Amino acid sequence: MSGKRKDYISWDEYFMGVAILAARRSKDPNTQVGACIVSEDNKILSMGYNGFPRGCSDDEFPWEKDKEQEDPYNAKYLYSTHSELNAILNYRGGSLEGSKMYVTLFPCNECAKAIIQSGIRTLIYAEDKYESTAGVRASKRMLNAAGVRYYRYEPSGRELKILL
């Protein structure tokens, strides 16, 4: 008879938890997004969160988005890198072919291109709050065409706390 625990977290809970924790590193005042790339044998390969590229001070570049239409130069969108692309660019190993990506927000069309090109085959997302936008609709069209499987993360309902 085995005495092992039966209430351990699933792989999806574990890796989405890592993506959520990565999102907590983002300094974006509006939306914090995290991503975690995992190998076929459930090893963490890379992580990322939305923010500015290395060398671009988050004290000097704009975080605002309100005046994007009239002054795009002083809005965050021209400067910030999404979590998915950061996770892909942060990877220092070989190929990402066949890997999975856990992300807290469904990827935009630009990140979908990078996901497809990098060889990621499965995408697990927590939220899809921009599902009706052209960017996310295009993202899903490309992911479907490229055979990248995606599904929404289903929380177990249990509360997980990080205590230090």
Side-chain angles (χ1 to χ4, degrees), residues 4-123:
K4 72 178 185 178
R5 286 181 49 223
K6 302 219 184 303
D7 63 341
Y8 54 89
I9 62 175
S10 70
W11 287 119
D12 277 1
E13 286 175 300
Y14 178 55
F15 297 126
M16 188 57 75
V18 171
I20 291 166
L21 196 57
R24 301 282 307 265
R25 282 286 310 146
S26 174
K27 296 174 185 168
D28 190 312
N30 299 297
T31 306
Q32 301 82 44
V33 183
C36 178
I37 303 175
V38 180
S39 68
E40 292 177 273
D41 61 344
N42 293 316
K43 304 288 186 280
I44 295 174
L45 300 174
S46 186
M47 293 174 283
Y49 55 89
N50 57 317
F52 298 133
R54 273 188 217 138
C56 297
S57 170
D58 52 34
D59 291 323
E60 295 174 23
F61 281 81
W63 285 111
E64 294 77 30
K65 65 177 187 171
D66 301 342
K67 298 182 176 134
E68 178 193 12
Q69 296 303 320
E70 64 238 28
D71 188 12
Y73 182 73
N74 284 306
K76 68 180 179 177
Y77 298 110
L78 292 178
Y79 309 104
S80 63
T81 304
H82 288 178
S83 67
E84 303 91 327
L85 185 57
N86 262 333
I88 291 167
L89 295 172
N90 286 339
Y91 182 57
R92 297 289 183 243
S95 172
L96 290 173
E97 193 68 43
S99 61
K100 300 182 286 192
M101 177 180 278
Y102 289 81
V103 65
T104 59
L105 184 62
F106 199 93
C108 71
N109 58 304
E110 293 299 320
C111 288
K113 294 174 195 176
I115 289 165
I116 293 164
Q117 289 298 95
S118 69
I120 293 169
R121 302 302 301 156
T122 305
L123 175 73

Side-chain angles (χ1 to χ4, degrees), residues 2 88 151:
S2 175
I88 291 167
Y151 62 91

